[in-house]
PDB file of all heavy atoms in Angstrom:
ATOM      1  N   HIS A  51      -2.162 -17.834   3.199  1.00  0.00           N
ATOM      2  CA  HIS A  51      -1.132 -17.989   4.190  1.00  0.00           C
ATOM      3  C   HIS A  51      -0.398 -16.614   4.271  1.00  0.00           C
ATOM      4  O   HIS A  51      -0.032 -16.072   3.157  1.00  0.00           O
ATOM      5  CB  HIS A  51      -0.107 -19.036   3.815  1.00  0.00           C
ATOM      6  CG  HIS A  51      -0.660 -20.449   3.845  1.00  0.00           C
ATOM      7  ND1 HIS A  51      -0.411 -21.312   4.830  1.00  0.00           N
ATOM      8  CD2 HIS A  51      -1.533 -21.055   3.001  1.00  0.00           C
ATOM      9  CE1 HIS A  51      -1.101 -22.427   4.580  1.00  0.00           C
ATOM     10  NE2 HIS A  51      -1.809 -22.349   3.457  1.00  0.00           N
ATOM     11  N   GLY A  52      -0.146 -16.127   5.419  1.00  0.00           N
ATOM     12  CA  GLY A  52       0.429 -14.786   5.527  1.00  0.00           C
ATOM     13  C   GLY A  52       1.683 -14.816   6.444  1.00  0.00           C
ATOM     14  O   GLY A  52       1.641 -15.504   7.482  1.00  0.00           O
ATOM     15  N   LEU A  53       2.650 -14.000   6.121  1.00  0.00           N
ATOM     16  CA  LEU A  53       3.825 -13.873   6.899  1.00  0.00           C
ATOM     17  C   LEU A  53       3.627 -12.746   7.909  1.00  0.00           C
ATOM     18  O   LEU A  53       3.263 -11.638   7.520  1.00  0.00           O
ATOM     19  CB  LEU A  53       5.036 -13.476   5.995  1.00  0.00           C
ATOM     20  CG  LEU A  53       6.387 -13.415   6.658  1.00  0.00           C
ATOM     21  CD1 LEU A  53       6.933 -14.862   6.876  1.00  0.00           C
ATOM     22  CD2 LEU A  53       7.388 -12.645   5.804  1.00  0.00           C
ATOM     23  N   ILE A  54       3.773 -13.059   9.210  1.00  0.00           N
ATOM     24  CA  ILE A  54       3.710 -11.935  10.208  1.00  0.00           C
ATOM     25  C   ILE A  54       4.950 -11.870  11.024  1.00  0.00           C
ATOM     26  O   ILE A  54       5.638 -12.868  11.213  1.00  0.00           O
ATOM     27  CB  ILE A  54       2.466 -12.030  11.115  1.00  0.00           C
ATOM     28  CG1 ILE A  54       2.457 -13.468  11.891  1.00  0.00           C
ATOM     29  CG2 ILE A  54       1.180 -11.879  10.384  1.00  0.00           C
ATOM     30  CD1 ILE A  54       1.497 -13.425  13.072  1.00  0.00           C
ATOM     31  N   ARG A  55       5.232 -10.580  11.511  1.00  0.00           N
ATOM     32  CA  ARG A  55       6.430 -10.443  12.332  1.00  0.00           C
ATOM     33  C   ARG A  55       6.046 -10.606  13.753  1.00  0.00           C
ATOM     34  O   ARG A  55       4.977 -10.172  14.175  1.00  0.00           O
ATOM     35  CB  ARG A  55       6.946  -9.033  12.116  1.00  0.00           C
ATOM     36  CG  ARG A  55       7.428  -8.728  10.770  1.00  0.00           C
ATOM     37  CD  ARG A  55       8.321  -7.573  10.713  1.00  0.00           C
ATOM     38  NE  ARG A  55       7.565  -6.334  10.774  1.00  0.00           N
ATOM     39  CZ  ARG A  55       8.103  -5.128  10.773  1.00  0.00           C
ATOM     40  NH1 ARG A  55       9.472  -5.133  10.805  1.00  0.00           N
ATOM     41  NH2 ARG A  55       7.404  -4.055  10.783  1.00  0.00           N
ATOM     42  N   ARG A  56       6.925 -11.245  14.515  1.00  0.00           N
ATOM     43  CA  ARG A  56       6.746 -11.329  15.985  1.00  0.00           C
ATOM     44  C   ARG A  56       6.846  -9.854  16.507  1.00  0.00           C
ATOM     45  O   ARG A  56       7.785  -9.102  16.146  1.00  0.00           O
ATOM     46  CB  ARG A  56       7.770 -12.298  16.495  1.00  0.00           C
ATOM     47  CG  ARG A  56       8.380 -11.928  17.880  1.00  0.00           C
ATOM     48  CD  ARG A  56       7.434 -12.191  19.070  1.00  0.00           C
ATOM     49  NE  ARG A  56       8.084 -11.628  20.271  1.00  0.00           N
ATOM     50  CZ  ARG A  56       7.395 -11.096  21.262  1.00  0.00           C
ATOM     51  NH1 ARG A  56       6.118 -11.143  21.235  1.00  0.00           N
ATOM     52  NH2 ARG A  56       8.033 -10.525  22.316  1.00  0.00           N
ATOM     53  N   SER A  57       5.879  -9.491  17.291  1.00  0.00           N
ATOM     54  CA  SER A  57       6.006  -8.158  17.952  1.00  0.00           C
ATOM     55  C   SER A  57       5.547  -8.278  19.360  1.00  0.00           C
ATOM     56  O   SER A  57       4.783  -9.167  19.718  1.00  0.00           O
ATOM     57  CB  SER A  57       4.989  -7.314  17.079  1.00  0.00           C
ATOM     58  OG  SER A  57       4.559  -6.175  17.831  1.00  0.00           O
ATOM     59  N   SER A  58       5.974  -7.306  20.203  1.00  0.00           N
ATOM     60  CA  SER A  58       5.607  -7.381  21.602  1.00  0.00           C
ATOM     61  C   SER A  58       4.182  -6.906  21.846  1.00  0.00           C
ATOM     62  O   SER A  58       3.632  -7.160  22.962  1.00  0.00           O
ATOM     63  CB  SER A  58       6.595  -6.526  22.505  1.00  0.00           C
ATOM     64  OG  SER A  58       6.343  -5.171  22.097  1.00  0.00           O
ATOM     65  N   THR A  59       3.528  -6.284  20.823  1.00  0.00           N
ATOM     66  CA  THR A  59       2.107  -5.947  20.893  1.00  0.00           C
ATOM     67  C   THR A  59       1.513  -6.568  19.598  1.00  0.00           C
ATOM     68  O   THR A  59       2.136  -6.856  18.695  1.00  0.00           O
ATOM     69  CB  THR A  59       1.877  -4.442  20.896  1.00  0.00           C
ATOM     70  OG1 THR A  59       2.610  -3.909  19.731  1.00  0.00           O
ATOM     71  CG2 THR A  59       2.434  -3.772  22.171  1.00  0.00           C
ATOM     72  N   PHE A  60       0.199  -6.630  19.628  1.00  0.00           N
ATOM     73  CA  PHE A  60      -0.524  -7.188  18.453  1.00  0.00           C
ATOM     74  C   PHE A  60      -0.323  -6.342  17.244  1.00  0.00           C
ATOM     75  O   PHE A  60      -0.453  -5.048  17.341  1.00  0.00           O
ATOM     76  CB  PHE A  60      -2.018  -7.345  18.702  1.00  0.00           C
ATOM     77  CG  PHE A  60      -2.346  -8.557  19.573  1.00  0.00           C
ATOM     78  CD1 PHE A  60      -2.886  -8.434  20.858  1.00  0.00           C
ATOM     79  CD2 PHE A  60      -2.084  -9.835  19.081  1.00  0.00           C
ATOM     80  CE1 PHE A  60      -3.203  -9.474  21.689  1.00  0.00           C
ATOM     81  CE2 PHE A  60      -2.298 -10.966  19.953  1.00  0.00           C
ATOM     82  CZ  PHE A  60      -2.855 -10.788  21.193  1.00  0.00           C
ATOM     83  N   ASN A  61      -0.050  -6.918  16.104  1.00  0.00           N
ATOM     84  CA  ASN A  61       0.108  -6.104  14.876  1.00  0.00           C
ATOM     85  C   ASN A  61      -0.871  -6.622  13.785  1.00  0.00           C
ATOM     86  O   ASN A  61      -0.677  -6.464  12.602  1.00  0.00           O
ATOM     87  CB  ASN A  61       1.614  -6.137  14.375  1.00  0.00           C
ATOM     88  CG  ASN A  61       2.049  -7.550  14.089  1.00  0.00           C
ATOM     89  OD1 ASN A  61       1.293  -8.550  14.268  1.00  0.00           O
ATOM     90  ND2 ASN A  61       3.320  -7.727  13.637  1.00  0.00           N
ATOM     91  N   THR A  62      -1.932  -7.321  14.251  1.00  0.00           N
ATOM     92  CA  THR A  62      -2.861  -7.946  13.273  1.00  0.00           C
ATOM     93  C   THR A  62      -4.202  -7.261  13.321  1.00  0.00           C
ATOM     94  O   THR A  62      -5.139  -7.860  12.825  1.00  0.00           O
ATOM     95  CB  THR A  62      -3.015  -9.462  13.693  1.00  0.00           C
ATOM     96  OG1 THR A  62      -3.275  -9.578  15.031  1.00  0.00           O
ATOM     97  CG2 THR A  62      -1.783 -10.224  13.281  1.00  0.00           C
TER      98      THR A  62
END
Side-chain angles (χ1 to χ4, degrees):
H51 294 255
L53 185 77
I54 57 163
R55 295 197 284 177
R56 143 77 190 147
S57 157
S58 67
T59 54
F60 284 116
N61 58 0
T62 48

